[in-house]
Amino acid sequence: MPKVHMLTHFADIIAEFGQIPQSSTTTVELLHQGLNLTYNQSNKVNATDQTLRYAGYKNAMAVMVANFSAILRNPSTVDKKILSNLRKGLSWFPTRKARLVAVREN
């Protein structure tokens, strides 16, 4: 684990630079929060594959919604039928919060 491996370097860093009160693992923890949640939802059998597949799917859904939203902000370059379908699909999620919840659940 990266956090544990970082500990092996702390003695050298402290000796060279002094105390490091700004050092925090908060960012690392936040970045892995999604993976931790998906691991907890897996059945723990081949959990790595399940976790990465689920996290990748959630990320793909978030990118898709972001792309659709960007297209709808600049509709002049897109066919009217496609725009209609995009609006219909995104209308299932009336607010940004609802879209994010749907992405998180799917």
Side-chain angles (χ1 to χ4, degrees), residues 5 9 14 20 28 30 32 37 45 57-58 62 64 68-69 84 103-104:
H5 175 73
H9 299 288
I14 292 170
I20 47 175
V28 175
L30 287 174
H32 289 92
L37 293 173
V45 176
Y57 176 74
K58 284 176 37 175
M64 184 179 70
F68 288 172
S69 298
S84 172
V103 167
R104 194 175 314 121

Side-chain angles (χ1 to χ4, degrees), residues 91-104:
S91 70
W92 298 332
F93 313 109
T95 64
R96 184 178 192 285
K97 184 176 179 180
R99 287 193 297 272
L100 292 175
V101 168
V103 167
R104 194 175 314 121

Side-chain angles (χ1 to χ4, degrees), residues 11-42:
D12 297 332
I13 292 170
I14 292 170
E16 186 173 344
F17 298 107
Q19 295 181 16
I20 47 175
Q22 298 86 357
S23 180
S24 172
T25 60
T26 304
T27 304
V28 175
E29 293 295 329
L30 287 174
L31 292 175
H32 289 92
Q33 186 176 19
L35 289 175
N36 292 338
L37 293 173
T38 56
Y39 173 78
N40 291 336
Q41 293 175 353
S42 74

Side-chain angles (χ1 to χ4, degrees), residues 75-90:
S76 61
T77 60
V78 182
D79 182 62
K80 291 182 189 266
K81 186 174 183 179
I82 293 172
L83 283 175
S84 172
N85 288 337
L86 287 177
R87 284 192 181 100
K88 181 180 178 184
L90 289 177

